[in-house]
Amino acid sequence: MKILDGKKISALIKEEISLEVKKIISNNGKRPHLSAILVGENGASQTYVNAKVKACEKVGFESTLIRLDNNITQEQLLEEINKININKNIDGLIVQLPLPESFDEDLITKSILPHKDVDGFHPLNIGNMVLNLPTFVSATPAGIIELLSRYNINTSGKHCVVLGRSNIVGTPMSILMSRKNNPGNATVTLAHSRTTNLKEICLSADILIVALGKANFITKDMIKPGACIIDVGITRVKSDFTKSGWKLVGDVNFKDVSEKCGYITPVPGGVGPMTIAMLLKNTLLASKSTF
Ligand code: GUN
């Protein structure tokens, strides 16, 4: 079994980005600038946004974190987004999801200008992605593709099973894996909560991408020997073996599955760091007004 080391690959990508930023600056160019909006006090979201801001610093980007109170109105949030939309100094904008229940996430996502939507969540950018046109591809699926590419995993003609059909991960992932590209060219099954013969489907997967948000859901009896396992899940569970009393686990029971699979992403240190690296890549593209 080989570990797909997202931490290591993301460090390489950050190094590449940081070199490009140095070149831009030495040619009197503008430092790429990412703005992130965080609404409310969701603990996981705070951790993710802080990590994104820290990553910006690391590669030499400017960043602005806008923290808004849980009980601001949707109108106020739209005003904040609009201020950033018209701010020529800011290249990319993300609004961390999930938003508190009172907000219409689809409306908020649509209100970010497509050429600043470095999350790739705007319907126009999703449409471009589906049509294989140049665009911002959502960071998590783009990070998985990049990881498969850097480890030279052969996906052509393979059966790829994606578990979970979220707009952010499962749906775009299924499209990227099926399209005429490398990585890609896979035969894709998108399975979800209404899928009936899940175990049988998983057992036929050469590449299994799990984005369900269910801790330790995939066990070794559900995977094909030698399969490539990509674990997108991240859940905090109680532990007697850590100082804090908590640990992070994925949707895959790592210890169990690692005896049987060919490749696996760890949690933490697999898909998570790749997501951040791809967000930085999208922000760099935005700063060059690529799309
Ligand atoms: N919530 C979980 N993943 C993401 C992401 O990639 N971007 C944003 N904006 N919110 C998220």
Side-chain angles (χ1 to χ4, degrees):
M1 178 277 295
K2 189 168 176 159
I3 297 274
L4 301 175
D5 189 342
K7 202 171 162 192
K8 186 172 97 187
I9 302 296
S10 71
L12 283 177
I13 295 171
K14 282 188 216 161
E15 194 55 40
E16 291 161 12
I17 295 173
S18 155
L19 283 176
E20 240 190 289
V21 173
K22 284 191 184 122
K23 263 193 221 155
I24 293 170
I25 301 301
S26 65
N27 289 328
N28 295 322
K30 187 188 93 56
R31 221 172 258 289
H33 187 158
L34 174 71
S35 207
I37 297 183
L38 174 65
V39 184
E41 305 288 330
N42 181 314
S45 291
Q46 290 183 33
T47 308
Y48 296 143
V49 169
N50 288 337
K52 289 171 185 178
V53 168
K54 210 169 134 199
C56 282
E57 254 172 57
K58 183 140 200 247
V59 297
F61 288 3
E62 267 190 68
S63 65
T64 317
L65 172 57
I66 299 164
R67 303 188 63 133
L68 300 171
D69 200 81
N70 220 346
N71 49 28
I72 61 149
T73 65
Q74 182 149 288
E75 290 314 308
Q76 285 170 311
L77 177 54
L78 287 168
E79 268 170 39
E80 288 295 332
I81 290 170
N82 199 40
K83 273 192 226 159
I84 297 168
N85 276 342
I86 60 176
N87 184 336
K88 291 219 160 48
N89 189 41
I90 297 175
D91 304 296
L93 165 62
I94 62 167
V95 175
Q96 188 64 26
L97 303 178
L99 286 166
E101 263 182 25
S102 56
F103 294 88
D104 177 348
E105 277 187 5
D106 289 337
L107 179 75
I108 298 300
T109 301
K110 265 196 286 194
S111 70
I112 298 171
L113 281 176
H115 68 270
K116 293 199 177 188
D117 167 41
V118 286
D119 260 330
F121 293 169
H122 190 286
L124 195 86
N125 289 330
I126 305 251
N128 282 332
M129 185 270 297
V130 172
L131 296 172
N132 206 3
L133 296 170
T135 192
F136 300 117
V137 177
S138 318
T140 300
I144 293 169
I145 292 286
E146 187 71 27
L147 201 55
L148 293 171
S149 166
R150 297 221 181 198
Y151 278 93
N152 280 317
I153 308 282
N154 181 20
T155 60
S156 180
K158 305 288 182 191
H159 185 206
C160 173
V161 174
V162 180
L163 299 189
R165 55 181 159 186
S166 71
N167 290 345
I168 296 182
V169 185
T171 298
M173 198 69 242
S174 67
I175 289 159
L176 295 176
M177 288 302 284
S178 65
R179 76 184 184 185
K180 214 173 186 172
N181 242 342
N182 180 29
N185 281 321
T187 304
V188 177
T189 301
L190 179 56
H192 45 75
S193 53
R194 300 291 172 94
T195 300
T196 47
N197 48 346
L198 190 70
K199 184 171 172 184
E200 193 178 88
I201 291 172
C202 290
L203 275 167
S204 74
D206 301 302
I207 300 144
L208 181 63
I209 303 176
V210 194
L212 292 171
K214 289 187 180 176
N216 294 319
F217 181 79
I218 297 291
T219 43
K220 73 167 179 255
D221 56 314
M222 298 172 83
I223 70 149
K224 188 174 181 174
C228 173
I229 313 292
I230 307 290
D231 189 352
V232 185
I234 186 155
T235 309
R236 203 172 69 130
V237 296
K238 286 212 157 118
S239 168
D240 294 332
F241 303 104
T242 61
K243 237 183 182 176
S244 64
W246 296 94
K247 66 173 181 174
L248 295 173
V249 298
D251 288 355
V252 176
N253 187 324
F254 183 90
K255 203 159 168 271
D256 197 41
V257 165
S258 57
E259 295 167 18
K260 196 178 172 189
C261 66
Y263 299 88
I264 189 165
T265 58
V267 175
V271 173
M274 290 303 293
T275 297
I276 296 189
M278 300 321 279
L279 173 69
L280 297 174
K281 239 181 161 174
N282 279 346
T283 306
L284 184 63
L285 287 174
S287 76
K288 295 176 180 169
S289 305
T290 312
F291 313 124

